[in-house]
C-alpha cells in the first residue's frame, strides 16, 4: 500500500514512547488520524535517512536568497 500524508499548520503531531520499545508518530487532521509505529531499528533508519535533509533545511541562505 502506498500512502501520502501531507502535514499542514492545523495537523496535530504527537510522538509517544510505548514501553521503551516502540515509538509512535501520530498525524491527526480534522478528518483522519494516521499512526506510524517504529521500533528502535526503524527509528534509527528513519533518522539516518532524514538527517541529511535537516542539514539542508538549516543552512544559511546564499546571496540570491536560496537555501
Amino acid at each position: 500500500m502506498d500512502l501520502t500524508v501531507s502535514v499542514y499548520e492545523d495537523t496535530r503531531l504527537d510522538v509517544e514512547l510505548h514501553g521503551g520499545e516502540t515509538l509512535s508518530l501520530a498525524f491527526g487532521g480534522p478528518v483522519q488520524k494516521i499512526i506510524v509505529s517504529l521500533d528502535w531499528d526503524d527509528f534509527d533508519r528513519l533518522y539516518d535517512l532524514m538527517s541529511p535533509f535537516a542539514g539542508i533545511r538549516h543552512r544559511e541562505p546564499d546571496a540570491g536568497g536560496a537555501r
Side-chain angles (χ1 to χ4, degrees), residues 33-48:
K33 182 176 183 179
I34 297 170
I35 298 174
V36 178
S37 294
L38 306 166
D39 65 16
W40 286 116
D41 289 337
D42 293 330
F43 175 82
D44 289 341
R45 188 166 50 111
L46 179 63
Y47 183 87
D48 290 343

